[in-house]
Amino acid sequence: MCGIVGYVGTEDAVPVLLDGLKRLEYRGYDSAGIAVQTKDGLQWRKCVGRLTELEEALSKHRLQGRPGIGHTRWATHGEPSEINSHPHLDGQGRVAVVHNGIIENYQSLRDQLTAAGHHFLSATDTEVIPHLIEQELANGAADPEAAVRGALKKARGAYALGILFRDQPDTLYAARLGSPLIVGLGDNGYYIASDVPAVVKHIREVIYLNDGEMAVLTSEGVTVKTLDGETVAHTTHPVQMAPEAAERAGFETFMLKEIHEQPRVLRSLLEQHVNDAGQVQLPEVGFSDDYFQLLRRIMIVSCGTAYHAAMYGKFLLEHLTGLAVETDLGSEFRYRSPRIERDTLFVAVSQSGETADTLASLRLAREMKCKVCSICNVQGSTLVRESDSVVFTEAGPEIGVASTKAYTAQLLAFALFSIHVGRARGEITDAYAQELLEALAGVPDAIHYVLERADHIRAIADKHHDGPSALYLGRRFNYPTALEGALKNKEISYQHAEGYAAGEMKHGPIALINEYLPVICICTQTADEVYEKMISNIKEVEARHGRIIALATDGDKQVSTFAEDIIYVPAIREEFSPLVNVVALQLLAYYAAQARGTDIDKPRNLAKSVTVE
Ligand code: F6R
């Protein structure tokens, strides 16, 4: 949700900022802007629309200089417009600010500042920050740094900020409270960014700022301080990500690249967490077997796609650990009166580790004295830092806005975690755990098989993408797969889609079925207890002339008697079939979106990391 980048050093800042913003555009793409210290003083450019608009504006009216700050916006307060774009300035053009987050008390601050003679141009919450800083200076703040500290002490809400002062041509200020911000250390200078991939090609080491900290960056170095001005000893971490991980690598979109990365991601996760003796190793989980034996309940909370992973996790944990498991959406959990006690393990699932509702739920669980384990893709993220233990999904940077490889990695993380907890509690035997792990070892190849049939899936998408709606049905472990398939379809192709538990269809959605409605039916198992039930549900669709697209196991003869189109996947244990099935649905959504001509990596109105509530 909004991306910010900044640079101070020996190079021209403009190409660094534009390149960084390009890599952050997945966080928002309503408008973009930069501010740079030029030889003629502090200057800025901003444009409504995609980053390309800004690039075009800069090709006509060049800027050159250093340091600089940049922003790509996902609008919250105020429509996408040039005036609402960042950077925002104070009344005299002395202070330029880029911001990600929401200043919750902006209206009262704005009223006070207006009464003091400040004039606001935009409808944003952000604009109060440069004006507050200006006011602090007018009130006698000792220097710009003191003015920043004074201003931030008055702001409530969430922010990651980059700030330049016209009168300090070699200094960049950064601050963080509740919104992600990293400081990068490179050979040619110092950087700030909403995430590491934005500046990965320039940096060797990274500092993860904590909430309530600010950083003062000059071309000589970085100092981290509290808002009281005390210097903080900070830890630098080596950058582990290869710069190529943030490139498209010849694929037409990041999403397609990320779909194709899944066999490699899952194989490497398995190699990392299954030892030679065929046992699950999750060192970062850290809890003892005794802890798991005394545990009574698991509460899993997340949002969006990660919530579908949570649903899968619930089915699997209940199946393998004998524990009571509950799930909730981050945005709901925090507003009900959840009954969780010390003997509940709270599991938060998030690709980014920065989703506001998931983080707020985690904090609520901590207040209730629960231990927290997070399943997360981003090292150093807020979620990871606030958790007692973690399972990293290690999927690498996910840049396409629609989550794909992070989802299957979350499912695999749940599979490994469930086996680990099941063993620790003595609910499953070593032999059974090994049987499960052997089945999991077959997943990467099974996904590869699906990817090799992409052309067939494309032909099906081409045939069915036109209608106004589509229905996705699945049962048990594949009920979340149906929800996720529908979500993928609607978010990137804009075709309305609904996922449903197949057995529930006759309680309502069956009214939708007619000879035009594509109904995607997940019936990949031939031997398990819900297969026959699923077939009966599909028959109900057939009887009403719905257009059945079946996901079926290779060799299944039955489905061809009623399905108009079939996507075959290799046989795999039912528990783990969602990891394979969802890849077929990702491709189906992808090709539907392609046929409908949408911007697949940056679907309208969406942003990847939802750092506002
Ligand atoms: C959909 C999608 C979103 C995210 C959700 C949570 O494709 O990506 O629904 O899953 O915004 O994000 P994280 O996992 O970063 O907490």
Side-chain angles (χ1 to χ4, degrees):
M1 243 96 286
C2 298
I4 70 173
V5 64
Y7 168 68
V8 56
T10 52
E11 310 280 301
D12 177 14
V14 177
V16 175
L17 299 176
L18 289 178
D19 186 66
L21 290 179
K22 208 170 280 171
R23 293 165 203 282
L24 287 172
E25 221 184 352
Y26 68 85
R27 301 177 77 91
Y29 27 87
D30 291 337
S31 62
I34 61 171
V36 176
Q37 297 276 17
T38 70
K39 63 179 174 27
D40 302 318
L42 186 60
Q43 302 222 0
W44 54 92
R45 304 271 186 277
K46 14 187 186 176
C47 280
V48 70
R50 301 284 162 105
L51 190 63
T52 45
E53 307 290 329
L54 179 67
E55 286 175 318
E56 208 179 307
L58 282 164
S59 69
K60 289 186 195 130
H61 304 282
R62 283 173 56 81
L63 276 187
Q64 197 179 6
R66 58 180 186 263
I69 49 177
H71 188 269
T72 175
R73 179 167 186 249
W74 187 85
T76 56
H77 294 61
E79 58 169 6
S81 68
E82 199 171 315
I83 211 79
N84 288 332
S85 311
H86 301 218
H88 288 284
L89 289 109
D90 67 321
Q92 304 169 53
R94 287 173 64 195
V95 187
V97 172
V98 289
H99 168 219
N100 171 27
I102 291 183
I103 306 301
E104 285 167 1
N105 58 338
Y106 86 100
Q107 193 56 56
S108 67
L109 291 171
R110 191 170 161 134
D111 292 346
Q112 288 162 29
L113 289 161
T114 305
H118 291 256
H119 175 61
F120 288 88
L121 303 175
S122 78
T124 66
D125 53 327
T126 302
E127 201 184 358
V128 297
I129 299 285
H131 284 267
L132 271 177
I133 295 172
E134 180 186 15
Q135 189 60 44
E136 290 291 314
L137 286 169
N139 291 350
D143 53 30
E145 185 189 319
V148 170
R149 285 194 264 114
L152 295 187
K153 283 185 176 173
K154 295 192 168 69
R156 264 203 338 265
Y159 54 74
L161 294 164
I163 305 168
L164 291 180
F165 285 83
R166 188 181 63 199
D167 304 333
Q168 280 198 313
D170 188 41
T171 307
L172 162 60
Y173 294 94
R176 163 194 169 135
L177 184 74
S179 296
L181 191 64
I182 61 107
V183 175
L185 318 182
D187 291 330
N188 295 323
Y190 302 93
Y191 303 76
I192 59 166
S194 298
D195 67 17
V196 173
V199 290
V200 66
K201 66 182 191 193
H202 306 291
I203 63 175
R204 285 172 286 100
E205 289 181 306
V206 63
I207 301 169
Y208 297 105
L209 287 186
N210 290 312
D211 278 347
E213 287 179 351
M214 62 181 285
V216 186
L217 295 83
T218 70
S219 52
E220 300 300 314
V222 178
T223 314
V224 179
K225 295 189 171 182
T226 65
L227 290 191
D228 290 324
E230 283 161 26
T231 301
V232 176
H234 56 261
T235 315
T236 54
H237 303 265
V239 173
Q240 280 163 345
M241 180 193 304
E244 314 77 75
E247 306 290 343
R248 271 197 276 124
F251 284 92
E252 62 200 14
T253 59
F254 276 108
M255 184 175 174
L256 195 60
K257 175 192 171 215
E258 287 156 10
I259 289 174
H260 280 266
E261 279 175 334
Q262 291 175 108
R264 179 184 57 71
V265 166
L266 300 191
R267 196 170 285 120
S268 116
L269 207 52
L270 282 166
E271 278 165 11
Q272 233 174 298
H273 294 298
V274 182
N275 69 12
D276 293 344
Q279 290 156 336
V280 175
Q281 302 283 290
L282 294 172
E284 275 140 339
V285 166
F287 302 128
S288 65
D289 287 3
D290 286 350
Y291 170 79
F292 284 120
Q293 278 156 22
L294 294 173
L295 202 62
R296 317 278 318 157
R297 215 152 70 95
I298 294 182
M299 177 82 223
I300 316 174
V301 173
S302 46
C303 302
T305 284
Y307 181 68
H308 300 150
M311 291 175 72
Y312 170 77
K314 170 187 159 75
F315 284 121
L316 205 58
L317 280 160
E318 286 175 344
H319 187 54
L320 298 178
T321 70
L323 284 163
V325 186
E326 209 187 321
T327 58
D328 207 347
L329 296 159
S331 51
E332 291 295 319
F333 177 77
R334 52 188 303 206
Y335 293 111
R336 62 183 176 94
S337 309
R339 293 180 58 82
I340 50 172
E341 286 107 29
R342 279 167 196 272
D343 56 6
T344 301
L345 174 65
F346 183 90
V347 177
V349 192
S350 174
Q351 187 285 128
S352 63
E354 303 293 349
T355 299
D357 285 318
T358 307
L359 283 171
S361 303
L362 175 154
R363 288 169 188 151
L364 184 60
R366 290 203 79 99
E367 277 170 29
M368 295 174 171
K369 310 282 182 233
C370 290
K371 291 271 185 226
V372 174
C373 176
S374 59
I375 294 182
C376 190
N377 198 38
V378 180
Q379 310 252 359
S381 61
T382 311
L383 191 77
V384 168
R385 286 186 288 157
E386 295 192 15
S387 299
D388 299 296
S389 76
V390 61
V391 182
F392 281 113
T393 42
E394 312 265 4
E398 191 180 64
I399 292 167
V401 163
S403 187
T404 52
K405 63 176 179 173
Y407 179 68
T408 44
Q410 285 162 356
L411 300 189
L412 180 55
F414 267 120
L416 294 169
F417 185 67
S418 304
I419 296 169
H420 179 72
V421 179
R423 277 302 301 121
R425 289 174 56 80
E427 287 283 330
I428 56 172
T429 62
D430 277 342
Y432 187 47
Q434 291 216 354
E435 200 182 308
L436 293 170
L437 289 171
E438 273 161 31
L440 274 175
V443 165
D445 283 345
I447 293 178
H448 189 70
Y449 176 105
V450 173
L451 294 174
E452 281 186 330
R453 280 146 188 84
D455 285 344
H456 172 61
I457 298 175
R458 185 206 298 263
I460 296 174
D462 283 347
K463 189 168 151 195
H464 295 279
H465 74 266
D466 251 353
S469 190
L471 184 62
Y472 288 68
L473 301 177
R475 291 189 79 124
R476 201 162 119 155
F477 293 104
N478 279 300
Y479 166 37
T481 314
L483 298 182
E484 176 59 10
L487 177 64
K488 282 298 83 102
N489 191 22
K490 66 187 138 197
E491 72 182 321
I492 60 168
S493 84
Y494 314 152
Q495 179 187 49
H496 172 257
E498 193 164 336
Y500 234 81
E504 271 289 296
M505 184 189 57
K506 54 180 139 334
H507 299 287
I510 200 162
L512 295 172
I513 292 172
N514 61 20
E515 64 272 38
Y516 307 110
L517 185 77
V519 186
I520 296 89
C521 303
I522 307 167
C523 51
T524 45
Q525 303 308 311
T526 47
D528 83 90
E529 53 191 299
V530 294
Y531 176 75
E532 291 303 332
K533 307 257 179 256
M534 187 68 207
I535 296 295
S536 309
N537 298 143
I538 298 174
K539 289 280 180 191
E540 293 156 7
V541 177
E542 186 193 22
R544 285 151 189 92
H545 309 292
R547 302 183 67 180
I548 297 165
I549 302 162
L551 225 67
T553 307
D554 241 352
D556 182 331
K557 299 271 183 297
Q558 205 175 159
V559 282
S560 58
T561 60
F562 50 73
E564 178 178 335
D565 289 295
I566 306 174
I567 302 168
Y568 284 109
V569 300
I572 196 114
R573 275 185 88 101
E574 193 220 349
E575 295 94 318
F576 306 133
S577 63
L579 284 91
V580 179
N581 293 343
V582 78
V583 177
L585 300 187
Q586 290 166 353
L587 286 172
L588 198 60
Y590 186 88
Y591 292 121
Q594 203 175 50
R596 290 166 73 102
T598 64
D599 186 342
I600 293 177
D601 275 343
K602 300 187 195 89
R604 76 180 170 214
N605 304 335
L606 286 170
K608 189 149 186 78
S609 184
V610 185
T611 52
V612 295
E613 294 171 26

